[in-house]
């Protein structure tokens, strides 16, 4: 009579061996890959920092231009209200993150603060915001 669990162990060992073989094959394929003459495989930190810095600066100036165009003389008031809103937002995130130390950000805070439906809507809103 076989001991219980022996066949499960064999299956697990076979799955582990198959996974190791696939990883080894993928690593060998990457090692054989050669880049064309004069091209690098990555941009590096300075180039990525420059790209992010450029996009950030451009979006700030674009946003300031839209606010100034729409608010005219009340631009300072609009920017002051936005700053107050962001201070409250940061304080809310800090408090929520310190109370509920889980992954998920706003969706976790919405789940504990409200319910699963609000958490679901918050998650999709964030996803759609990233897409837009």
């Amino acid at each position: 009579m076989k001991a219980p669990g022996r066949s499960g162990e064999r299956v697990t060992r076979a799955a582990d061996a198959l996974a190791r073989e696939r990883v080894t094959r993928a690593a060998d394929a990457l090692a054989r890959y050669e880049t064309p003459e004069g091209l690098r495989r990555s941009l590096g930190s300075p180039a990525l920092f420059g790209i992010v810095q450029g996009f950030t600066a451009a979006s700030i100036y674009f946003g300031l231009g839209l606010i100034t165009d729409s608010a005219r003389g009340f631009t300072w008031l609009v920017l002051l209200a936005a700053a107050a809103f962001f201070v409250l937002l940061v304080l809310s995130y800090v408090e929520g993150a310190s109370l509920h130390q889980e992954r998920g950000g706003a969706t976790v805070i919405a789940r504990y603060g409200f319910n699963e439906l609000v958490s679901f809507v918050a998650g999709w809103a964030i996803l759609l915001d990233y897409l837009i």
Side-chain angles (χ1 to χ4, degrees), residues 37-112:
E37 187 79 25
L39 294 178
R40 294 187 325 189
R41 291 180 69 173
S42 67
L43 292 175
S45 295
L48 291 176
F49 177 78
I51 290 169
V52 169
Q53 187 69 23
F55 279 125
T56 303
S59 65
I60 288 172
Y61 286 121
F62 180 73
L64 282 175
L66 287 177
I67 291 169
T68 305
D69 188 41
S70 298
R72 306 269 184 220
F74 294 107
T75 300
W76 66 273
L77 188 61
V78 171
L79 292 176
L80 187 65
F85 173 75
F86 279 113
V87 166
L88 290 174
L89 181 73
V90 167
L91 291 174
S92 298
Y93 268 110
V94 167
E95 185 173 349
S98 66
L99 287 175
H100 311 292
Q101 297 179 358
E102 299 176 34
R103 294 182 201 156
T107 58
V108 171
I109 295 169
R111 186 177 70 235
Y112 283 105

Side-chain angles (χ1 to χ4, degrees), residues 14-36:
D16 287 344
L18 182 63
R20 270 192 235 103
E21 181 183 340
R22 286 182 180 170
V23 168
T24 305
R25 257 192 265 145
D28 290 343
L30 279 175
R32 285 192 303 267
Y33 176 75
E34 295 178 13
T35 57

